[in-house]
Amino acid sequence: MIVISSFIVIFAFSTVDHALSPMVAILQAFFNVAQEKILWLISSCTIGIVSGLVIGPQIVKSFKVPYVLAFSAIIMFLSLVAFALCANFAVSLFLRFVFGVGAGLISTVMWWLAYESIDRMFYTPMIVVLTASRPMAVAAGVPLVLYGSKYFGWSAAFIIVGIILTIFCFTLVSSSPNDTQNKETFTLKNIFARYSGALSTKWFKSLFSAMFINRICYFGFYSMLGIWFFKKYNMTTLQIAAPLMVIGICETVINFIVPMLMKIGKKKLFVLSVASNIAVFGLFIWGSLPLWVAITFIALFAMSDRVYNMLLLMFIPSIFPESKDKTTIGSCVTLVSWSSLAAISYIEGQFLDILGMNLIATLLLLSLVAGLISYYVIFSKTVFEKNN
């Protein structure tokens, strides 16, 4: 039940988060702001997620996990409902931040479950859940919200997803293993001490610097996806739903295939996935291909991205064998990724109409190549070297 509840919680959160990009036209009309500024709703939520992730490991060490889950569920639901009903853009930015804080805390709990709490026989399924829930939301949740916004309004669609999120947060509360760890006093000093310890871990700075650079490409494309489809292919909000469904299904399915693909060798699989990731992104991002050829390449980009990122999660115990605080390490995966999203979505919201989409696309491609080269160097000295 833990795995199922975790899947639905991440699925619900990812649905309302990723629905913002393809709904830029609807939200622009609702808030009466420039189209690019809608991307700041992504940034504000992401800053909240990062904030929740920063304090999350210490929160988990200071308070019982069921209480953390319940508190997070309540603030996420209340802020989501208020966001769906508030037409003031500045207030909505704050509400998205609060929603993100709750999501960041829940993400920390997920890493606690995966690395420190759940039975080892459920480790791989939990990793699959952590990687597959978001693309499944793109495949099913986002299209449902897009169609729902047409028939009964986007606000109602968001609130329904919020109700589902809250229900399964409390299901997760009831099914989580007992939190028997001795609790520490929650202080700023303890928070800094926890990250200070992580920063001193060998390869920590190198890996997470590479991750920040690498994720700029993936999240940068998804942030401007709605605007990209509109400007490159003149598609409406509802027309974007079908491509998202195809892309999301492909990105979901690959998560379940990676354990089988690993039989060819971790190094070979990593090299194949990153090479194809760079190649297909460089082909479709300019918007010069026929629509469904571009969609096919986007799906391949998303799938290859899932492959090497799932490998990364599986590599973490080998990269940091001496670390005794895997919850903080796991939280940093999400923290750094979402920090990258916050940075690039803000940049796009501020400069996309000034710099133009092609210049932004060049920035994303350069970030992708630089990040993947850095990954390869690190893995060659840790995971691949040990295998040999």
Side-chain angles (χ1 to χ4, degrees):
M1 195 60 194
I2 294 174
V3 174
I4 295 172
S5 298
S6 298
F7 176 87
I8 296 177
V9 167
I10 300 173
F11 174 88
F13 158 73
S14 299
T15 292
V16 295
D17 199 52
H18 288 286
L20 294 178
S21 179
M23 289 176 64
V24 286
I26 294 173
L27 296 173
Q28 177 190 18
F30 182 79
F31 291 110
N32 193 28
V33 296
Q35 193 175 64
E36 288 78 12
K37 295 296 183 287
I38 295 300
L39 300 184
W40 286 357
L41 292 171
I42 299 173
S43 295
S44 59
C45 179
T46 307
I47 292 170
I49 293 171
V50 169
S51 301
L53 286 164
V54 167
I55 65 173
Q58 188 57 48
I59 289 280
V60 168
K61 298 298 181 181
S62 300
F63 302 97
K64 294 289 186 181
V65 166
Y67 297 155
V68 177
L69 279 170
F71 172 76
S72 302
I74 291 169
I75 65 170
M76 288 179 75
F77 177 73
L78 293 177
S79 60
L80 179 60
V81 171
F83 167 73
L85 300 176
C86 176
N88 184 290
F89 189 66
V91 174
S92 292
L93 289 174
F94 173 74
L95 292 170
R96 287 283 296 165
F97 170 80
V98 175
F99 182 78
V101 170
L105 293 176
I106 286 181
S107 179
T108 301
V109 171
M110 297 297 180
W111 290 114
W112 176 79
L113 287 169
Y115 286 134
E116 295 191 28
S117 178
I118 201 168
D119 191 287
R120 290 298 91 188
M121 68 181 293
F122 296 113
Y123 172 72
T124 298
M126 194 66 184
I127 293 296
V128 171
V129 161
L130 292 172
T131 55
S133 304
R134 192 208 57 78
M136 190 63 187
V138 174
V142 174
L144 285 173
V145 167
L146 296 183
Y147 285 115
S149 66
K150 177 183 178 181
Y151 294 109
F152 44 85
W154 75 270
S155 297
F158 269 46
I159 291 172
I160 291 171
V161 176
I163 293 171
I164 295 171
L165 171 65
T166 306
I167 290 172
F168 280 92
C169 275
F170 281 99
T171 302
L172 191 59
V173 168
S174 63
S175 59
S176 291
N178 292 329
D179 182 5
T180 57
Q181 294 180 333
N182 294 326
K183 298 302 176 180
E184 306 171 0
T185 302
F186 181 80
T187 63
L188 290 177
K189 181 180 179 180
N190 284 340
I191 294 174
F192 287 122
R194 192 164 298 284
Y195 284 98
S196 176
L199 283 167
S200 64
T201 305
K202 186 178 181 181
W203 299 114
F204 183 92
K205 296 176 184 177
S206 300
L207 179 68
F208 287 106
S209 295
M211 185 180 296
F212 181 87
I213 295 169
N214 170 259
R215 302 322 287 157
I216 283 175
C217 178
Y218 179 88
F219 284 124
F221 174 68
Y222 268 95
S223 293
M224 67 176 188
L225 180 142
I227 299 173
W228 187 83
F229 271 119
F230 174 73
K231 291 188 174 181
K232 296 293 187 181
Y233 295 98
N234 198 30
M235 297 178 70
T236 65
T237 299
L238 284 181
Q239 287 173 333
I240 296 173
L244 283 178
M245 195 176 299
V246 172
I247 295 164
I249 289 172
C250 293
E251 194 175 357
T252 301
V253 170
I254 194 66
N255 287 280
F256 299 93
I257 299 175
V258 169
M260 292 181 283
L261 294 177
M262 288 178 67
K263 293 178 181 179
I264 70 173
K266 295 177 181 179
K267 184 175 181 179
K268 287 182 180 178
L269 182 58
F270 178 79
V271 171
L272 286 172
S273 62
V274 300
S276 60
N277 195 245
I278 294 170
V280 295
F281 184 81
L283 289 171
F284 79 74
I285 191 57
W286 315 109
S288 57
L289 298 173
L291 175 61
W292 279 99
V293 175
I295 291 169
T296 300
F297 280 11
I298 294 171
L300 290 172
F301 168 73
M303 291 168 71
S304 56
D305 179 273
R306 286 297 90 200
V307 172
Y308 72 74
N309 274 286
M310 192 166 177
L311 286 173
L312 186 152
L313 293 180
M314 293 182 174
F315 291 166
I316 280 179
S318 298
I319 299 171
F320 306 108
E322 298 176 1
S323 174
K324 296 180 180 180
D325 188 1
K326 295 295 194 300
T327 298
T328 300
I329 297 290
S331 288
C332 283
V333 172
T334 312
L335 190 156
V336 172
S337 296
W338 289 96
S339 295
S340 183
L341 170 58
I344 190 60
S345 57
Y346 173 80
I347 291 170
E348 289 175 349
Q350 183 68 33
F351 299 110
L352 186 57
D353 58 336
I354 300 172
L355 300 178
M357 196 162 286
N358 286 342
L359 188 55
I360 293 293
T362 302
L363 169 65
L364 301 186
L365 181 58
L366 291 174
S367 298
L368 178 65
V369 174
L372 290 178
I373 290 174
S374 300
Y375 274 163
Y376 183 80
V377 172
I378 295 166
F379 295 162
S380 294
K381 295 178 179 180
T382 55
V383 182
F384 302 150
E385 186 180 73
K386 290 178 181 178
N387 288 344
N388 291 333

